[in-house]
Structures are given as structure tokens and as C-alpha cells.
């Protein structure tokens, strides 16, 4: 038996044991602190989220037909669109403040009726407040793995006012490969001096393979717009929604009448001399409908193959059929079809069964579908006679008879 050690001394076997316990305590403490730190980081990250991670709906793995995009470095800089792009998952985050384009005053769509409210994401009724639609989804979409980028638009709806441009844009925004700014930017007619970088900053972020779009109906009748858009990119695709110019003029007058009930009658504005049948071409409601004259300016800068003329009447009668033509023109897979629409008998035009960013049906807002004032039948006949030669020239230029003279 070994002799006892000095008084007060601990057995040597206890020293490794105490060190082992101490090491385990330190390891547990470090693990706890690490877990708390990770939890804190996750909690901070989660506070920035306004919604769950969602996948892209529709469209499968295919991307659009190759085209040409535009970077913001200058009018001549072009970036190729990939033929196919892998779908990335999207993260819905807290909305960020954005610079708003100037409000419309006397052209295109009305400022109040065309600005979008914060309820829906690009629903039918405003890509673009009177209409119950949203300028952007209820949060800005950013990529989980890649934030995407803002591009100058590769396609623009350039007109015409009261032709159906709002409906066309909102129908297109259902497509997963289309990203469009809601409010009308009015860059090429009012804000051109602010530069392409300012214009690009108004656009939504896009993934590879997606098309950036905007619509400003007053571009079609703005003399400087064709050259300015061509300077940005000669490859820009242009969409023009046209409608019977007589019906369009009455709709235009109806919109103005809703804002200024004291304006003169439609007849007194439309004619310089009613008894002689002299139409006043200087009145904007009449002048916009001279489609052939406006188109001549555009054809000096863009070939006809880069312009698509959408029938406003057919957009009401057969929205899926007309959207099929538009999707083909833009090089998009045909995703928007009859299943996306239903006809609202009260309003008299088609509505989306499910608007972008919403699970509920939605129609254009209260500024759309206003009842037109009664116009004397003789006045309408005189206007149809006035427009007939311009219409026929327009049919020849576009290669399509829109049937407005029947």
C-alpha cells in the first residue's frame, strides 16, 4: 500500500478530471453563444422579410426567343438576351421607396385613373388611382441568389390614348417573362433631358430572359419620340393599340368631360363649321386618330416588322387571341390564354380571373368603362367620312384592315 501524501494534497487523478469538466463547460458555453449569435442573425434577417420564398409560376424552364436588350450605359450599348435561363426562386421583401414618374396631365391615360394603388400587383386595371390596381407587387421582388438588374425596356407600348393600352399592359404582366413599370414614365416626351440612367432607374428588376416593358400612349403622337427611342436602341419592339378613331375620339372627350364638366359639347369641339362639315383637325381628340400620319414618322426610324398593331376592339372581343399575337411578336412562350379571362357584363370588357400578385379576380378600375354621352348620329357619320381616307391609308401601311369603315 502506497504511503499517504502530504496533508491537504489532492489525488493526482482528480486534476485531469477537473480539466476535462472545465473543457466541457467551455465547449458548451461556446456552443450556446454560437447558437445565440446564429439565432440573432436569423431573427434580424427574418425581420426584413414580408413574405415566404415563392417559386416562379408558369412557363416551365423555357425562356423567350432571343432578342436584344439594352444596358444603361448609353444609347448604343446592347446586351444579348440569353436563349434560355434557369428559373431562380424569388424572395418577397419589404418595399423600397421608388422614384415616381411625372403624373399624366392631358394625354395618354389620366393621372388619377392610371396611377396604381397599393393593393394589387400589376392587375388588370392599372400597370400603372381611381382604378384599384397596384404599380408594383405588394413588395419589391428581389432574387434570393441574385438580385437581378434594371434594364432599359426592350419593348414599349407607344399608343394610342384611349385605345386599350392599359388593358394590354396588364394582360401582359400576367406572363412570368414580362416585367413592366406601372405608371407611365413619359420619358421620351417630357423627361428626356433627365437621361437614360434616370429612365432605367424607373424600371423593375428583371431576371435573365425576362422582358422589361413600359407604356406611354402619348409617344405615338410625339414628333421627337421615334428618333429618341431609336437612339436608345434600334431593336426596340413597339406596340400600338389602335381603335376606331371615331369611338376613340368620343372616349377621349368622355374622359375630359369627367374632369371638366363645363367644357363645350363634343360637336362644337369636333367641327370648325358644322354646317359645312369642316372637321377641326387641331383638336387633339381628332388629331390622335389620324393614325397614318403619325405612323409615317415612326417608319422613318423603325422597320414595320418591329411594330405590332393591336386591335382595341379585338382586345375586348377575344383577349386571348390578340394576346397570342402579342406573345409571338415579343418572342414569348404562349402562356396567357382563355383560362386567364372572364367577361364582365357590367363593365363590358374582359377581366383577369387572377391578377398578378393576387389570388382574386380583378377588372379595370372605375375610370374605365364610363358611359359615353349621346352624340348626334349625323355627327358620327360626318366623322366617319372624314376618317375614311386616313383609315384606308393606315390599312395599306400596316397590311391589316381593322374594319372601321363598315
Amino acid at each position: 500500500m502506497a504511503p499517504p501524501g502530504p496533508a491537504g494534497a489532492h489525488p493526482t487523478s482528480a486534476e485531469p478530471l477537473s480539466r476535462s469538466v472545465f473543457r466541457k463547460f467551455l465547449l458548451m458555453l461556446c456552443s450556446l453563444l454560437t447558437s445565440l449569435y446564429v439565432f440573432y442573425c436569423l431573427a434580424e434577417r427574418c425581420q426584413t422579410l414580408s413574405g415566404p420564398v415563392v417559386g416562379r409560376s408558369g412557363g416551365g424552364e423555357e425562356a423567350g426567343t432571343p432578342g436584344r436588350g439594352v444596358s444603361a450605359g448609353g444609347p448604343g450599348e446592347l446586351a444579348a438576351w440569353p436563349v434560355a435561363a434557369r428559373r431562380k426562386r424569388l424572395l418577397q421583401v419589404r418595399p423600397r421607396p421608388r422614384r415616381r414618374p411625372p403624373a399624366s396631365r392631358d394625354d395618354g391615360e389620366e393621372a388619377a385613373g392610371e396611377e396604381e394603388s397599393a393593393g394589387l400587383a400589376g392587375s388588370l386595371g392599372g400597370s400603372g388611382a381611381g382604378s384599384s390596381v397596384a404599380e408594383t407587387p405588394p413588395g419589391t421582388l428581389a432574387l434570393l441568389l441574385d438580385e437581378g438588374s434594371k434594364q432599359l425596356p426592350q419593348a414599349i407600348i407607344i399608343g394610342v390614348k384611349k385605345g386599350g393600352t392599359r388593358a394590354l399592359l396588364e394582360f401582359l404582366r400576367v406572363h412570368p417573362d414580362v416585367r413592366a413599370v406601372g405608371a407611365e414614365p413619359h420619358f421620351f416626351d417630357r423627361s428626356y433631358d433627365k437621361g437614360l440612367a434616370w429612365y432605367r432607374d424607373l424600371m423593375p428588376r428583371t431576371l435573365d430572359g425576362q422582358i422589361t416593358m413600359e407604356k406611354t400612349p402619348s409617344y405615338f403622337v410625339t414628333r421627337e419620340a421615334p428618333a429618341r427611342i431609336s437612339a436608345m436602341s434600334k431593336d426596340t419592339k413597339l406596340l400600338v393599340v389602335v381603335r376606331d378613331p371615331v369611338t376613340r375620339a368620343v372616349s377621349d372627350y368622355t374622359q375630359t368631360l369627367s374632369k371638366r364638366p363645363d367644357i363645350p359639347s363634343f360637336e362644337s369641339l369636333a367641327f370648325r363649321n358644322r354646317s359645312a362639315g369642316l372637321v377641326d383637325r387641331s383638336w387633339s381628340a381628332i388629331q390622335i386618330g389620324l393614325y397614318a400620319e403619325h405612323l409615317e414618322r415612326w417608319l422613318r426610324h423603325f422597320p414595320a416588322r418591329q411594330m405590332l398593331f393591336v386591335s382595341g376592339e379585338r382586345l375586348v372581343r377575344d383577349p386571348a387571341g390578340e394576346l397570342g399575337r402579342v406573345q409571338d411578336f415579343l418572342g414569348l412562350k404562349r402562356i396567357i390564354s382563355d383560362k386567364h379571362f372572364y367577361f364582365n357584363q357590367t363593365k363590358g370588357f374582359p377581366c383577369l380571373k387572377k391578377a398578378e400578385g393576387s389570388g382574386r379576380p380583378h377588372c379595370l378600375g372605375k375610370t374605365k368603362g364610363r358611359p359615353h354621352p349621346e352624340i348626334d348620329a349625323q355627327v358620327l357619320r360626318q366623322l366617319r367620312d372624314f376618317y375614311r381616307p386616313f383609315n384606308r391609308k393606315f390599312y395599306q401601311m400596316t397590311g391589316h384592315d381593322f374594319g372601321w369603315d363598315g
Side-chain angles (χ1 to χ4, degrees):
M1 183 173 179
H10 296 285
T12 56
S13 60
E15 293 180 11
L17 181 61
S18 62
R19 286 198 297 270
S20 176
V21 171
F22 182 72
R23 283 198 298 268
K24 290 180 179 179
F25 173 77
L26 284 179
L27 182 61
M28 291 175 62
L29 181 61
C30 290
S31 298
L32 178 61
L33 291 175
T34 302
S35 299
L36 289 173
Y37 177 76
V38 171
F39 178 79
Y40 172 80
C41 292
L42 289 175
E44 287 294 302
R45 176 65 176 166
C46 289
Q47 286 177 6
T48 66
L49 305 183
S50 63
V53 175
V54 296
R56 293 287 308 282
S57 61
E61 289 294 315
E62 296 83 3
T65 300
R68 299 291 293 174
V70 188
S71 68
E77 296 184 20
L78 300 177
W81 296 0
V83 176
R86 175 177 297 179
R87 296 287 182 251
K88 299 182 179 72
R89 294 177 70 83
L90 300 177
L91 186 65
Q92 201 170 41
V93 298
R94 181 179 301 163
R96 296 177 298 182
R98 59 182 293 151
R99 193 180 309 172
R100 296 188 63 83
S104 179
R105 291 191 299 270
D106 55 358
D107 58 2
E109 309 293 338
E110 40 190 313
E114 293 300 292
E115 296 297 328
E116 299 181 49
S117 63
L120 292 170
S123 59
L124 172 58
S127 159
S131 64
S132 54
V133 291
E135 178 186 346
T136 57
T140 302
L141 291 177
L143 297 179
L144 182 59
L145 301 177
D146 178 6
E147 289 191 354
S149 60
K150 293 188 175 187
Q151 301 291 329
L152 292 169
Q154 297 91 20
I156 304 176
I157 300 173
I158 60 173
V160 299
K161 179 185 178 184
K162 309 310 295 179
T165 59
R166 177 59 56 192
L168 176 61
L169 183 67
E170 298 314 323
F171 291 160
L172 278 173
R173 291 175 80 175
V174 173
H175 200 292
D177 285 335
V178 172
R179 295 283 287 139
V181 63
E184 296 169 6
H186 286 282
F187 175 67
F188 294 104
D189 57 350
R190 297 180 185 170
S191 303
Y192 192 65
D193 60 326
K194 295 182 179 179
L196 289 175
W198 178 89
Y199 183 47
R200 197 251 330 240
D201 192 50
L202 300 177
M203 300 299 130
R205 292 183 179 276
T206 54
L207 299 166
D208 290 341
Q210 289 183 318
I211 295 177
T212 302
M213 292 186 67
E214 70 114 319
K215 79 105 176 170
T216 304
S218 56
Y219 290 164
F220 188 62
V221 298
T222 299
R223 291 184 175 275
E224 299 83 4
R228 290 172 174 179
I229 295 178
S230 178
M232 177 186 73
S233 172
K234 295 182 181 297
D235 298 321
T236 306
K237 293 186 177 182
L238 308 171
L239 296 100
V240 188
V241 190
V242 288
R243 180 185 185 187
D244 182 334
V246 178
T247 308
R248 197 221 65 82
V250 175
S251 180
D252 198 337
Y253 174 79
T254 303
Q255 176 178 299
T256 305
L257 186 65
S258 69
K259 302 175 184 178
R260 298 165 49 199
D262 58 338
I263 62 172
S265 68
F266 178 87
E267 293 87 340
S268 62
L269 292 171
F271 292 91
R272 287 185 294 167
N273 187 322
R274 169 75 189 282
S275 60
L278 296 178
V279 175
D280 188 356
R281 290 183 42 153
S282 66
W283 185 32
S284 63
I286 296 295
Q287 207 270 337
I288 290 173
L290 303 174
Y291 302 144
E293 293 189 354
H294 304 303
L295 180 56
E296 286 177 342
R297 289 196 298 270
W298 288 91
L299 292 176
R300 297 184 195 122
H301 298 273
F302 291 93
R305 66 178 180 274
Q306 281 179 230
M307 303 184 72
L308 182 70
F309 296 89
V310 179
S311 168
E313 289 84 6
R314 192 173 177 218
L315 202 57
V316 173
R317 293 194 312 265
D318 180 20
E322 202 67 354
L323 263 292
R325 294 179 60 237
V326 175
Q327 290 172 95
D328 292 344
F329 173 72
L330 295 175
L332 298 169
K333 182 179 178 180
R334 284 201 179 198
I335 290 176
I336 306 172
S337 64
D338 285 322
K339 68 181 181 181
H340 290 92
F341 303 100
Y342 74 96
F343 193 83
N344 185 301
Q345 296 290 345
T346 302
K347 284 186 169 291
F349 48 70
C351 303
L352 288 171
K353 291 181 179 178
K354 289 186 178 181
E356 180 197 358
S358 171
R360 297 179 300 173
H362 197 74
C363 288
L364 289 169
K366 64 183 180 180
T367 64
K368 303 299 181 183
R370 296 187 187 96
H372 290 179
E374 285 290 331
I375 307 294
D376 185 89
Q378 178 62 24
V379 170
L380 299 179
R381 281 194 295 271
Q382 288 176 299
L383 287 178
R384 294 197 184 283
D385 291 340
F386 166 77
Y387 277 119
R388 187 169 292 110
F390 298 100
N391 291 343
R392 289 177 177 173
K393 184 177 181 181
F394 183 68
Y395 300 163
Q396 293 174 350
M397 296 172 75
T398 61
H400 181 75
D401 187 337
F402 290 90
W404 298 325
D405 303 311

